[in-house]
Amino acid sequence: HQFVLHYQPKVNMRTGTVTGVEALIRWQHPKRGLLYPIDFLPAIENTPMSIEVGEWVIDTALTHISQWKSMGLNLPVNTSVNITALQLQHPDFTDRLTTLLAAHTDVEPRHLELEVLETSALDDVDHVSTIMNACIALGVSFALDDFGTGYSSLTYLRRLPVSLIKIDQSFVRDMLIDTNDFSIVEGVIALAKSFKRDVIAEGVETTEHGTALLQLGCELA
């Protein structure tokens, strides 16, 4: 009961509106203070506990969406949570997700987006695609996170039913001073459009970055 979720806004830079939020797990440690994921998630990676934590994140995010609704807040389009390859490929994932959604009957599934890391070790892409389609049938959507940092980008883009591509912040950060990073960002935006996927840029922290991304055709950050 020491985990907490912080939320990062997803913004349409052209209109200035918040289109959603991303749930980010933190550990409010009684002695060490607020810990970031890098301080504790690697220790449980590829273990059953990582699945347990992943389910907690989904359940807590759904609880918060329900609370925001009861407070009369205008709901963002969606709240996204990160899921691991291990969790997604677990035989009971679709059933577990069905149970979690059923426990929050006042939350429409379309308000939940599941983010899969592009660097994830997805053993069987066809099998994963089947799982994702079963979840999409429940009403949720999927995003491909950290796009371009792994080696399976085009395979995943071609074969996984994701609706949103996230450009990794490692490319966005230096895109104004590094021509290679700029070209990668430009290429990912073009790829997303070719595959009719939405695209969002991570780590946009200056007006100059936002302006450059808008000129390239990326409206979400």
Side-chain angles (χ1 to χ4, degrees), residues 183-205:
S183 295
I184 289 172
V185 171
E186 186 178 31
V188 172
I189 293 170
L191 267 177
K193 290 185 180 300
S194 295
F195 282 88
K196 296 180 173 54
R197 308 285 206 273
D198 290 328
V199 62
I200 186 169
E202 282 184 326
V204 181
E205 298 184 359

Side-chain angles (χ1 to χ4, degrees), residues 114-128:
L114 303 176
E115 292 191 6
V116 184
L117 278 172
E118 196 257 310
T119 47
S120 297
L122 300 180
D123 301 325
D124 183 339
V125 177
D126 289 334
H127 176 59
V128 169

Side-chain angles (χ1 to χ4, degrees), residues 155-206:
T155 299
Y156 288 179
L157 191 55
R158 181 166 62 92
R159 296 169 65 183
L160 296 181
V162 297
S163 54
L164 179 71
I165 305 296
K166 289 181 71 178
I167 308 173
D168 187 63
Q169 60 183 323
S170 64
F171 302 125
V172 174
R173 191 182 303 118
D174 294 331
M175 64 177 284
L176 300 181
I177 57 174
D178 187 317
T179 54
N180 287 330
D181 282 351
F182 185 91
S183 295
I184 289 172
V185 171
E186 186 178 31
V188 172
I189 293 170
L191 267 177
K193 290 185 180 300
S194 295
F195 282 88
K196 296 180 173 54
R197 308 285 206 273
D198 290 328
V199 62
I200 186 169
E202 282 184 326
V204 181
E205 298 184 359
T206 71

Side-chain angles (χ1 to χ4, degrees), residues 9-25:
K10 294 187 282 188
V11 178
N12 184 310
M13 296 181 291
R14 197 172 296 285
T15 63
T17 55
V18 174
T19 62
V21 291
E22 179 180 356
L24 305 168
I25 192 170

